[in-house]
Amino acid sequence: MAVGGPPVLVVTRLDDATADEVITELNRRRVPVVRLDPGDFPSEVTLSGTFDGIGPGGTLATATRTLDLGNIRSVYWRRPTPYSADLAMDGQTSRWTVEEARYGLGGVLAALPGAHYINHPWRNRDAEYKPAQLAAAARFGFTVPPTLITNDPERAREFIAEHGPVIYKPLRETDYADDTGRALTVWIDDVTPDQIDDRIRSTAHLFQQRVSKVADIRLAVVGDHMTSVRIDGSPGVDWRRHYDSLTYTPVVVPDEVAKGVRAYLDSFGLVFGAFDFALDHHGRWPWYECNPNGQWAWFPDHITAPITTALADHLQHREGTP
């Protein structure tokens, strides 16, 4: 029997395996789903948002669907492509049109009346700042490795000498490509004082004492549901570089960690978070970071299934929405 009712809006790019898992589950439940990539605006998307004394309304039309902006059940905000402009435009005009799209279409999508967001895009944005993450982690009782954010090469060398071994990690996973357009990744890696030179002055860099660990932990949280996985087999500091070597074992979340992550998510207004911890030789979970929009679909089915179910439950039933 069809469920029907207001649709779930999934905001993401076409090649998003994580969103695909949730969409498949919602389709299985016969919950209406509309997939939208704001990067397709305005070439393939037409916006007619209205505002009056009643509140927001209007329509959003894609090539195949027309969406009533005043009648959306919930929003799963994943990973849309960046806003773009006509390639024929000059640089200044292009920048202007992209910002108008961001604040126009983006503003409408962030103001849908009565919709339950996982997560609201502005809450995702706020929670992506690593300095804010580190400050919140310390506030909620997590063990935070000594960390320095600097553009001063001398201070960086001093920190590495004092706290070594030290790793470098990017402050944000920003899209990056070479001259041919091939996507590049800035990995987490070990760093030594002799690698530091005046190029450090060009921007901010994050350096952190490397944790002595026996394994890594990925903890996916959806509301009160927690799926925690021990990750073994990585020969380096960044396990994302060694998927073929990894093994995954579900583990129980310690009570103090569960309490801390709930407080952390509440402080940022998040429903979902993908937390990364180390597992040290004493069984403790030192803090790495929390990605408010982290991946989890590469895990084996018996691990991804509970996460998929929890997200679909929230999106279908708008859990946590008054």
Side-chain angles (χ1 to χ4, degrees), residues 27 74 164 175 201 301:
N27 286 335
S74 52
D175 289 340
R201 297 188 185 278
D301 289 347

Side-chain angles (χ1 to χ4, degrees), residues 226-248:
M226 299 187 183
T227 299
S228 184
V229 183
R230 172 174 170 156
I231 302 173
D232 288 279
S234 174
V237 295
D238 193 334
W239 52 262
R240 299 172 303 166
R241 304 178 73 169
H242 308 284
Y243 283 109
D244 291 344
S245 305
L246 304 179
T247 60
Y248 309 108

Side-chain angles (χ1 to χ4, degrees), residues 1-310:
M1 183 176 67
V3 172
V8 173
L9 176 61
V10 179
V11 181
T12 196
R13 63 190 67 195
L14 182 62
D15 56 336
D16 182 356
T18 297
D20 291 344
E21 294 284 338
V22 178
I23 291 171
T24 298
E25 175 62 17
L26 291 170
N27 286 335
R28 187 190 67 79
R29 300 180 184 195
R30 295 186 172 87
V31 176
V33 178
V34 175
R35 186 173 189 146
L36 171 72
D37 186 355
D40 292 336
F41 179 80
S43 60
E44 299 176 38
V45 175
T46 301
L47 169 68
S48 297
T50 61
F51 296 83
D52 54 26
I54 298 175
T59 60
L60 190 67
T62 69
T64 59
R65 302 288 297 274
T66 297
L67 188 64
D68 180 353
L69 293 172
N71 188 39
I72 295 175
R73 182 194 306 255
S74 52
V75 179
Y76 186 28
W77 195 283
R78 272 289 301 159
R79 298 195 172 185
T81 54
Y83 291 97
S84 60
D86 190 326
L87 294 176
M89 293 178 176
D90 62 52
Q92 181 171 315
T93 304
S94 174
R95 289 190 295 273
W96 186 85
T97 57
V98 165
E99 289 304 291
E100 289 296 292
R102 186 190 319 281
Y103 282 86
L105 175 57
V108 169
L109 293 176
L112 300 173
H116 176 50
Y117 287 85
I118 305 178
N119 294 305
H120 194 283
W122 298 347
R123 305 292 80 77
N124 276 344
R125 176 202 61 199
D126 293 346
E128 285 181 341
Y129 286 87
K130 280 192 170 60
Q133 293 186 21
L134 293 162
R139 188 163 72 250
F140 296 120
F142 294 106
T143 299
V144 177
T147 303
L148 172 69
I149 299 173
T150 187
N151 72 328
D152 182 339
E154 185 57 34
R155 184 67 187 92
R157 283 189 285 265
E158 292 173 354
F159 179 85
I160 296 168
E162 178 182 358
H163 295 285
V166 165
I167 59 173
Y168 167 82
K169 61 171 67 174
L171 285 151
R172 188 175 187 275
E173 295 297 333
T174 303
D175 289 340
Y176 192 40
D178 62 17
D179 293 340
T180 68
R182 181 173 62 94
L184 301 174
T185 300
V186 180
W187 300 105
I188 300 169
D189 212 342
D190 289 300
V191 62
T192 57
D194 62 296
Q195 293 176 292
I196 304 299
D197 59 32
D198 276 353
R199 288 176 295 179
I200 290 291
R201 297 188 185 278
S202 63
T203 190
H205 302 268
L206 188 153
F207 303 96
Q208 188 172 78
Q209 185 177 62
R210 174 151 58 88
V211 176
S212 179
K213 65 180 183 178
V214 296
D216 295 284
I217 300 287
R218 167 59 66 93
L219 170 59
V221 182
V222 186
D224 290 330
H225 176 87
M226 299 187 183
T227 299
S228 184
V229 183
R230 172 174 170 156
I231 302 173
D232 288 279
S234 174
V237 295
D238 193 334
W239 52 262
R240 299 172 303 166
R241 304 178 73 169
H242 308 284
Y243 283 109
D244 291 344
S245 305
L246 304 179
T247 60
Y248 309 108
T249 307
V251 293
V252 175
V253 183
D255 289 343
E256 66 274 14
V257 173
K259 180 180 178 181
V261 299
R262 288 193 181 98
Y264 180 97
L265 291 176
D266 288 346
S267 72
F268 284 104
L270 301 173
V271 176
F272 173 86
F275 293 81
D276 286 318
F277 298 93
L279 178 64
D280 72 13
H281 297 271
H282 304 285
R284 296 173 300 206
W285 291 24
W287 171 274
Y288 282 158
E289 63 184 27
C290 174
N291 187 333
N293 214 347
Q295 308 280 27
W296 46 266
W298 82 91
F299 284 128
D301 289 347
H302 70 282
I303 295 174
T304 62
I307 306 172
T308 302
T309 298

